[in-house]
Amino acid sequence: MTGTRETKAPKRHATPKADKPARPITIHDVARHAGVGSMTVSRVIRGAANVSPAMREKVEAAVSVLNYQVNVAARATRSQSTAARIGILYSNPSASYLSEIMVGGLEQSSKMAGHLLLERCEGLAGQQAAVERLLASGVDGVILPPPLCDSRPTINRLLAEGVTVLALATARPMDDVSCVRIDDYAGALAMTRRLVALGHRDIAFIKGDPLHTPTEVRFEGFLAGMAEAGIAIRDDWVAEGLFTYRSGLAAAETLLDGAARPTAIFASNDDMAAAALAVAHGRQIAVPRDLTVCGFDDTAVATTVWPELTTIHQPIAAMGRTAVALIAEEIRARKAGDAPAPNHHLMKFTLIERGSSGPVPER
Amino acid sequence: MTGTRETKAPKRHATPKADKPARPITIHDVARHAGVGSMTVSRVIRGAANVSPAMREKVEAAVSVLNYQVNVAARATRSQSTAARIGILYSNPSASYLSEIMVGGLEQSSKMAGHLLLERCEGLAGQQAAVERLLASGVDGVILPPPLCDSRPTINRLLAEGVTVLALATARPMDDVSCVRIDDYAGALAMTRRLVALGHRDIAFIKGDPLHTPTEVRFEGFLAGMAEAGIAIRDDWVAEGLFTYRSGLAAAETLLDGAARPTAIFASNDDMAAAALAVAHGRQIAVPRDLTVCGFDDTAVATTVWPELTTIHQPIAAMGRTAVALIAEEIRARKAGDAPAPNHHLMKFTLIERGSSGPVPER
DNA sequence: CTGAAAGCGCTTACAG
DNA sequence: CTGAAAGCGCTTACAG
């Protein structure tokens, strides 16, 4: 929660305007004001090509004077042949990344007069039922956030019905499906390099859920970074996790109670890194003085714990926006009769250094 | 992340249907199929009153046979006089409750053919700018999640422009603004009673950010519960917090390092309870054997930490749904020329017992 | 209680 | 390059 400090005195607000503008501004108001036909206005606001600069200018002026806003609903009715009905099928509504995906996606889809449908599913059976509901409501495309982004059965069912699919934040792009993602390999490599640059050589790694595609890819990035630095991997410093806090607890306990203790723990997501922090705390190991801990994803927990986590930031909201834009374009192309190739869109990640990492402790 | 276990073999999916149904089912298709006028269909799908049972039945049959889905966009154009443009003004996109509010709100608004606008703001200046953006885009109503739900300046600005406002999850309803909330007082009271029932008498409390309305109200609920049980409040067992994890860390350290140690800590939100857990862990105090910890809100962190938190569950998604439904109704009434009184809607909370609480330790 | 007509604000053909 | 006409699928008056 953000602290918003403000005057407590509830000063009486001005007399409320009883009547809001009775009728919203339409394309015709703009046309009249600009002295052109409504079609010209329609062309300008859509960004169509065939408009003379003079006309365009007049219309744009009128739009800004009148503070005209397109009525997306009306637009949708008519261009319904082009407007997309896009579903987001999610399984974990409390996952902190979901709100950001939705914020981004919704922003984009309302800009584009698209229609966003949210469908939730629980478990495997629920997944099938949710897909059928989505299908029944006539979606043109479905965005799959993790972990559904890697569910081949779901994807196949959707594709079989001619629905466009986009896998969001998968680590392994598929040939027949578009995706928006970061480079998990490069992210893990960058983090490993940073740890090495801080002087760490005794670096432990906590792997994620073996069923999720980022798990292996991030581990490979870590291995590459270690190999590059000429550091051998110790089996007892590679712990298995499941991306959950609880699994991170167990993994970190193993790592910190072993015969030799690493100077850094690279957990392959933030939840597990937060758990490592708690375990270190329990062992009276000061972070980052005696131990560096870092995570991956930059979800809410990264800035909730103390010290805050050094981690790899995924631009989740932007990924949501991009996903909606891409899938809408693909749907449009498909409706126009094209057979667009799946688009694999890579976004930039950022290594964010916060309080949980520091130079290797002196011996 | 939910583990979705599934067959790995990517069995080739059936030949994709090249063409989706060219034309979606309309109200007229249903009318023809049912042998009635389209107006009757319209009435049935809207749930209007004046339809004979016989007609209704025929229409409903046709709807289900044809798998008809209302075209919300089309509906919105016509009932645009009634359809609402509702904004959600939020300040903390990574807050885990936000995704649930949005999921709920979006579900509801797409059912109602409403239009949901998301507007984000940062800081106080950003808050004003965001309100102006919302105003410029012609919103009819704005939903304010915490902590903006208690921002009088924002509310006043909105009201002054004739915009309907709904405060979501505020602890102090305002006379001139609708709200959807739980009873924070009763929630804190229920939790305190539960702790007492478990045999605890040495109960510490961690307060929240003094600028947020739930802070005082939850504390009052705690005081009432203690008074009811005839337990005196010890000043050194009431710690100040800010609803953040970090503040919880400091508060819990004070509580657990004091001369006398409580057998239970009631933190007034989950983030601070999670912090208390970490501190207990650091002090080798076993939870719940030696110490009971409980929180409030049932946000994502409550089930992320270990042991999972006993807490008061707020039905956030349902609150989002309800908020949209209520504000839409209020907007409709206002547009119809009424002056509806603000609606104060109270939702039920639930006390959820998980692993972090248990009976008082034997002496 | 039922339905034929008119219209929501926009865009897609269609003429200039 | 520009605009008058028709229509998107639904709902709001308006007649029976």
Side-chain angles (χ1 to χ4, degrees), chain B residues 233-311:
Chain B
I233 301 291
R234 291 177 53 144
D235 281 353
D236 58 333
W237 282 353
V238 175
E240 307 285 335
L242 293 168
F243 283 142
T244 62
Y245 185 90
R246 192 182 180 178
S247 71
L249 233 36
E253 279 165 2
T254 310
L255 294 173
L256 294 178
D257 293 342
R261 191 212 283 171
T263 62
I265 294 180
F266 180 7
S268 56
N269 83 348
D270 293 336
D271 279 353
M272 297 192 300
L277 233 39
V279 172
H281 211 130
R283 303 289 186 278
Q284 323 284 6
I285 302 171
V287 174
R289 200 196 60 200
D290 300 330
L291 177 72
T292 278
V293 172
C294 53
F296 204 109
D297 288 337
D298 198 23
T299 53
V301 69
T303 47
T304 297
V305 294
W306 191 257
E308 295 185 347
L309 289 174
T310 290
T311 190

Side-chain angles (χ1 to χ4, degrees), chain A residues 13-18 20, chain B residues 135 153-163 165:
Chain A
H13 51 275
T15 343
K17 283 187 201 165
K20 300 193 58 188
Chain B
L135 252 17
T154 297
I155 293 173
N156 289 346
R157 176 79 187 98
L158 256 10
L159 291 180
E161 290 294 325
V163 171
V165 174

Side-chain angles (χ1 to χ4, degrees), chain A residues 61-86:
Chain A
V63 163
S64 96
V65 170
L66 267 35
N67 204 335
Y68 165 77
Q69 301 276 342
V70 262
N71 178 326
V72 261
R75 171 178 284 179
T77 18
R78 204 56 190 89
S79 51
Q80 155 228 29
S81 39
T82 26
R85 223 177 254 201
I86 299 170

